[in-house]
Amino acid sequence: MSSGDYILETHDLTKEFKGFVAVSKVNLRVRRGHIHALIGPNGAGKTTCFNLLTKFLTPSAGRIVYDGHDITGETPAHIARRGVIRSFQISAVFPHLTVLENVRVALQRRLGGSFHFWRSERCLDSLNDRALELLGAVDLAGYADAKAVELAYGRKRALEIATTLAMDPQLMLLDEPTQGMGLEDVDRIRQLIKKVSADRTILMVEHNMSVVASIADTITVLQRGATLAEGPYEQVSKNPAVIEAYMGSANVELKGAH
C-alpha cells in the first residue's frame, strides 16, 4: 500500500512535559475515506495526541505528515485551512444564537477574512441555503430557528458536527463525540458519524466501545502514550495485551457491539 493511501501519518510522534512522556514515538497511519478510532484507558495520551495533530501542542520530537505535506511546524490556523478540522470534547456552539446562525457563522469562517458584523444581515442570507443543507445532513432542519441553548445535549453535539462540516473538512477529528449521552443520543450520533464519513476521513477519540466496534474501520490502542495495538475491532478486541490494559477500567466495555 502506497503512502498516498494515507491522508495522515505520524512518525515517532513524541510529547514530553517536564520529563513525563505523554506521547511516546507514536506512528499513526490514517487511511483516506476511513473511520479511524483512537482508544485507550484514561491517561493513555489520546487527547494529547489530538492536541499534537492540530498543533495546540508542539511535539517534542517526531513528524506529522498530512496529505503528503510535512505540517509539523505549521500553526493551527494553517492546518485548519488545509482541511483538518477538530470538533471539541466540550460542545462548542454559541448558545444564544439560533441553530441556523451557528452554522452560518461557521460558513463565514470558511470564507476567510473577518466576520461581517457591520454589514446588513441580508448579506448573509446567501449562506442560508448551504446552512439549511448542512442542518438537513445532521437531522436538525426542523430546529433551524431554535436557540442552541434550548437543544437537548445530543442535538447540540449534532449541531457541533454541522458547524464542523461547514468548514468543509477533508479530515474530521472528533474528540469523545458521544461522551455523556444516553443510549438514544449515542445511537443518533453513531449513525450521523457514519453518514458524514461518506466523503471524508474521520479520526475519533471515543470511549464507547459499541460505537467503535460498529463504525471504525481501524482502531489504534494507546497505553501510557505508546501504541499498544492496531487493527480492525475483531482483531484488537481479542488481543491479550489490550484486554489486560482495560481490566478494571469502569468506562470501557471491550465486548462487541450490540
Side-chain angles (χ1 to χ4, degrees):
M1 191 174 292
S2 74
S3 60
D5 293 322
Y6 298 100
I7 193 167
L8 179 74
E9 297 179 79
T10 66
H11 302 274
D12 290 336
L13 190 63
T14 299
K15 181 63 180 178
E16 293 185 28
F17 296 99
K18 296 182 178 176
F20 169 71
V21 182
V23 173
S24 178
K25 296 184 177 179
V26 168
N27 293 296
L28 195 62
R29 300 212 295 175
V30 179
R31 289 195 66 182
R32 266 175 221 284
H34 280 212
I35 299 176
H36 192 123
L38 200 57
I39 70 169
N42 286 333
K46 305 180 297 294
T47 298
T48 302
C49 202
F50 255 39
N51 286 335
L52 291 170
L53 295 175
T54 48
K55 299 312 299 298
F56 286 89
L57 287 174
T58 302
S60 304
R63 293 191 306 125
I64 304 166
V65 177
Y66 171 73
D67 206 18
H69 301 279
D70 189 325
I71 62 169
T72 315
E74 293 191 0
T75 65
H78 275 108
I79 290 168
R81 280 196 285 273
R82 285 191 183 275
V84 181
I85 307 294
R86 175 178 179 176
S87 177
F88 283 87
Q89 185 174 4
I90 307 233
S91 185
V93 296
F94 295 101
H96 298 294
L97 293 182
T98 68
V99 168
L100 180 69
E101 287 166 345
N102 266 280
V103 178
R104 216 162 57 175
V105 167
L107 287 168
Q108 279 182 261
R109 285 178 62 194
R110 184 172 175 266
L111 292 175
S114 55
F115 294 94
H116 302 165
F117 290 131
W118 67 91
R119 298 175 65 181
S120 162
E121 192 173 343
R122 286 192 301 275
C123 296
L124 300 178
D125 287 348
S126 61
L127 301 175
N128 284 352
D129 287 349
R130 177 59 180 152
L132 287 168
E133 186 182 327
L134 288 166
L135 290 177
V138 299
D139 300 322
L140 285 179
Y143 295 85
D145 295 325
K147 290 281 201 312
V149 72
E150 297 166 1
L151 295 180
Y153 183 66
R155 288 199 166 91
K156 205 172 285 183
R157 297 311 301 266
L159 174 58
E160 187 185 343
I161 289 175
T163 60
T164 306
L165 289 173
M167 303 295 289
D168 199 22
Q170 289 186 62
L171 174 62
M172 273 180 88
L173 303 182
L174 301 179
D175 194 358
E176 302 276 11
T178 69
Q179 186 181 51
M181 289 184 186
L183 285 175
E184 185 180 329
D185 280 339
V186 166
D187 193 54
R188 180 186 290 119
I189 296 298
R190 179 186 63 77
Q191 291 179 43
L192 177 55
I193 292 169
K194 188 70 177 171
K195 180 179 177 183
V196 303
S197 73
D199 52 359
R200 57 185 52 84
T201 307
I202 291 178
L203 176 62
M204 60 190 285
V205 167
E206 180 55 66
H207 272 104
N208 188 314
M209 294 308 293
S210 72
V211 171
V212 170
S214 62
I215 66 174
D217 300 296
T218 305
I219 297 167
T220 298
V221 185
L222 294 183
Q223 184 186 33
R224 298 190 189 96
T227 303
L228 182 64
E230 186 169 278
Y233 177 81
E234 283 304 312
Q235 174 187 322
V236 164
S237 64
K238 295 184 175 98
N239 184 313
V242 173
I243 294 168
E244 184 181 349
Y246 276 109
M247 283 297 183
S249 180
N251 59 353
V252 175
E253 177 57 67
L254 270 177
K255 291 173 184 170
H258 305 299

